[in-house]
Amino acid sequence: MSATTALPVRPVLHAEWIKIRSVRASFGSLLSIPLVTVAISLLVGATVGQDEADSLGPDRLSGAFYALNFGQIAAIAFGTTTLAAEFHNGALRTSLTAVPDRTRFFLSKIGVLGFAALLLGQAATFVSFLGGQALMGSQAIGLGDEGALRATVGGGIYLALMALLAAGLTALLRSGVAVLSLLIPFILIVSFIIGDMAGGAAQYLPDRAGQLVLQQDPQGSLGPWAGLAVTALWAVAALAAGWAALRRRDA
Amino acid sequence: MKSIEIHELTKQYGSTRAVDGLSFTVRPGRVTGFLGPNGAGKSTTMRLVLGLDRVTSGTATIGGRRYTSFTHPLREVGALLDPQAAHGSRTARDHLLALAVGNRLPRDRVDRVLEETGIASAARKRIKTFSLGMRQRLGIAAALLGDPAVLMLDEPANGLDPEGIIWIRELMRRLASEGRTVLVSSHLMAETAATADHLVILGRGRLLADLPMNDFIDAHSRARVRIRTTEPERLRTLLGREGRLLLDAGDTGWTVDGIRAEEVGALAAREGIPLLGLADERASLEQAYLDLTAADTPFASTAPSVRQEA
């Protein structure tokens, strides 16, 4: 099998898109990425408002992306459910009968998934930022403020990377339930607790590292883009492990 | 037209040899029945042909090429393995559409196969609402999607109603008569007898038989003649001299084992015994099959029960 034959081709990418949009759990969680993020941003903007702007913390930039804590759950759910759909009732066998080159199949699926998550992730961060800040009156920051554009673009990339991380883990473990019950508690609890306790090493956790891109002035040794790159490495590692498992195992 | 070529195929799962040095060829233009007890390796062989499971050794090819080397495999081979192997929350149409688009098949093929398999009215329903019979039809629709020259169907009659069973029987006959290669596994002997021209029979991963259906039945039919006569006592004495026993078969007359109709006819004619009916009794496919697989004792003695189909 030469390298070029395994690359995604347009028909297979199109087929993978049809598969995403035709399963409610996948398509619903994809749409939830911007819906949840924007809804919570508007809610926070409207309720916290100008008077209590400080309650979101001293860093007003990362405060503006508070809703990403929830948007990332939608991104993880999207990555997980899209891959888990293949391990449901042995649907993978039908998929591999249609596209027997497993590398092409995996790259096509990951490509469509990543592109969709990136597109809706960017929509989520831009609309959230602009909409949320519109309610903040005199306390508002704009895209022109220092680090704001970087945080908005980086936040969208972060959402796509979390979807890809979840997708890679699902291909490896072949179970959406396993991945969701691993990643969501990790992000909601473990990372939060370790993050406060362990200091230096904790900034390399996938969620902590990536969220540095949202901060005005990240403390510690990682810069905002370096942090996002660490998250990208986690995602690539998970995808590589998922790809290896898919290639090696009997379907 | 293309054949399915299996050569020295072996598949080992842990310490179990599901398929063990298997060689046979499935040729075009006829329906090949693929028989064997549960766990004999039929489904595994089909999965190995499709590249879903990795072969331990040997080759499985279609027209000389590995399945995984096809760019548009659904145009070459149509397969029905497991009718449940579709995501339940997709509609039947979307399920087929994704398969068609990925293999550069025109979209109207989707509507065509939905019509052909009789599930067009359920095309926009979710697959999880389908009965087993409807899922089976959807699986057959997917197999027919690319108008392939080679078809591999694992238990296609499973879950179908009587009308559906007649339909699938006629479909397979038609596909073979169009010159396609058709391999069909089944546990239903009457169905196989009504559709297959040729048989490939496995037992514990090995080839037990690969021959035309008629030859198989003849080879496993013990010589037995069925007779109706008005003078059974004279016939009994006559056959007794030949060392044969006339057995009472009740309303249907008499039977004699170990002799053929032409011999009985000649004997009776010489003695002037009137015969009202005389025919060789032929084993059914079921009898012949059970005869063969029961004789497969070297394997039966090493493992007391038959492994479940994986």
Side-chain angles (χ1 to χ4, degrees):
Chain A
M1 195 187 330
S2 74
T4 49
T5 61
L7 290 178
V9 289
R10 227 178 61 88
V12 180
L13 292 169
H14 187 186
E16 287 303 324
W17 170 245
I18 292 171
K19 283 157 75 175
I20 287 175
R21 71 148 173 75
S22 61
V23 170
R24 227 181 244 171
S26 297
F27 197 51
S29 50
L30 174 62
L31 294 181
S32 298
I33 298 174
L35 290 181
V36 166
T37 315
V38 170
I40 291 176
S41 290
L42 295 179
L43 207 65
V44 168
T47 53
V48 173
Q50 326 174 12
D51 304 337
E52 298 168 72
D54 285 349
S55 69
L56 290 172
D59 184 342
R60 272 198 283 154
L61 188 56
S62 69
F65 289 104
Y66 171 73
L68 232 62
N69 285 313
F70 301 90
Q72 68 178 341
I73 305 290
I76 288 167
F78 171 59
T80 305
T81 51
T82 301
L83 265 289
E86 294 291 346
F87 301 105
H88 188 85
N89 284 348
L92 182 64
R93 264 172 268 150
T94 306
S95 297
L96 290 180
T97 308
V99 185
D101 185 321
R102 296 185 186 198
T103 301
R104 168 176 290 162
F105 166 71
F106 188 70
L107 290 179
S108 302
K109 184 172 275 303
I110 293 304
V112 172
L113 184 155
F115 182 73
L118 183 64
L119 211 63
L120 294 202
Q122 294 296 345
T125 49
F126 271 93
V127 177
S128 291
F129 182 78
L130 297 174
Q133 294 307 306
L135 298 168
M136 297 292 277
S138 61
Q139 299 289 324
I141 45 178
L143 278 177
D145 282 285
E146 199 204 329
L149 187 60
R150 174 254 294 165
T152 311
V153 173
I157 296 172
Y158 171 76
L159 288 172
L161 291 175
M162 291 310 271
L164 291 171
L165 172 71
L169 286 177
T170 310
L172 177 65
L173 301 177
R174 293 201 279 192
S175 159
V177 176
V179 171
L180 287 179
S181 51
L182 196 81
L183 268 186
I184 290 181
F186 174 81
I187 278 166
L188 292 183
I189 304 164
V190 180
S191 167
F192 190 69
I193 294 169
I194 299 181
D196 282 349
M197 282 164 39
Q203 67 178 333
Y204 292 96
L205 292 174
D207 56 331
R208 293 251 141 188
Q211 288 178 20
L212 293 175
V213 85
L214 306 173
Q215 293 176 16
Q216 186 91 60
D217 186 19
Q219 307 299 308
S221 51
L222 282 173
W225 290 115
L228 200 60
V230 168
T231 303
L233 285 178
W234 280 98
V236 167
L239 290 171
W243 170 73
L246 182 74
R247 282 198 47 137
R248 206 184 57 244
R249 286 177 183 150
D250 288 336
Chain B
M1 280 295 174
K2 288 165 182 163
S3 299
I4 305 170
E5 304 103 4
I6 309 291
H7 182 71
E8 293 294 321
L9 192 66
T10 295
K11 174 64 179 180
Q12 187 114 17
Y13 295 106
S15 61
T16 315
R17 284 217 155 171
V19 173
D20 191 1
L22 199 57
S23 296
F24 62 88
T25 301
V26 185
R27 298 192 188 283
R30 64 194 190 192
V31 176
T32 301
F34 199 23
L35 306 180
N38 286 333
K42 306 184 297 294
S43 301
T44 304
T45 302
M46 288 187 174
R47 283 202 304 274
L48 292 170
V49 171
L50 297 173
L52 294 173
D53 286 9
R54 302 263 179 249
V55 302
T56 305
S57 63
T59 58
T61 53
I62 291 139
R65 289 181 62 183
R66 282 173 202 279
Y67 186 83
T68 49
S69 75
F70 291 123
T71 312
H72 300 123
L74 299 186
R75 297 178 179 197
E76 315 288 340
V77 182
L80 167 75
L81 287 192
D82 175 3
Q84 310 292 350
H87 197 286
S89 65
R90 264 185 207 114
T91 64
R93 195 168 190 287
D94 281 337
H95 173 72
L96 294 174
L97 189 62
L99 295 176
V101 164
N103 274 258
R104 282 189 202 270
L105 292 165
R107 282 165 181 253
D108 61 9
R109 280 299 300 165
V110 171
D111 298 313
R112 188 97 60 85
V113 295
L114 283 166
E115 291 284 347
E116 191 173 350
T117 53
I119 50 172
S121 61
R124 293 182 191 279
K125 290 205 172 112
R126 286 169 193 278
I127 296 166
K128 66 179 154 206
T129 67
F130 280 24
S131 66
L132 177 58
M134 287 167 78
R135 283 173 200 239
Q136 198 70 259
R137 286 169 185 268
L138 178 64
I140 293 163
L144 297 175
L145 195 58
D147 196 19
V150 177
L151 286 116
M152 280 200 305
L153 310 173
D154 198 0
E155 300 278 351
N158 219 354
L160 292 180
D161 53 21
E163 181 271 332
I165 289 176
I166 293 168
W167 166 72
I168 188 80
R169 186 192 299 161
E170 286 172 354
L171 176 69
M172 288 187 291
R173 301 288 338 153
R174 178 170 64 78
L175 293 169
S177 73
E178 289 166 356
R180 299 177 211 252
T181 305
V182 184
L183 180 67
V184 188
S185 84
S186 182
H187 288 301
L188 301 174
M189 291 302 137
E191 262 322 293
T192 307
T195 41
D197 308 295
H198 195 89
L199 296 174
V200 170
I201 306 177
L202 305 189
R204 307 209 173 252
R206 295 185 191 218
L207 188 68
L208 296 184
D210 174 5
L211 76 184
M213 166 99 78
N214 284 331
D215 293 3
F216 177 66
I217 291 176
D218 286 344
H220 287 268
S221 294
R222 269 167 306 172
R224 171 180 278 192
V225 176
R226 191 167 284 278
I227 304 166
R228 284 174 61 232
T229 177
T230 49
E231 294 186 43
E233 286 315 315
R234 279 182 66 203
L235 189 62
R236 186 191 303 279
T237 317
L238 172 65
L239 288 167
R241 286 206 294 271
E242 301 289 321
R244 301 289 167 200
L245 222 55
L246 188 65
L247 300 170
D248 192 345
D251 289 345
T252 55
W254 306 84
T255 60
V256 188
D257 283 344
I259 196 164
R260 306 203 69 91
E262 59 248 45
E263 299 172 62
V264 177
L267 282 171
R270 214 170 54 211
E271 298 290 322
I273 301 172
L275 297 181
L276 308 181
L278 175 65
D280 278 319
E281 199 175 84
R282 216 156 166 259
S284 67
L285 174 61
E286 185 168 63
Q287 286 163 337
Y289 166 81
L290 291 174
D291 206 27
L292 175 75
T293 48
D296 189 22
T297 43
F299 303 108
S301 58
T302 55
S305 66
V306 182
R307 185 172 75 82
Q308 277 299 302
E309 194 86 0

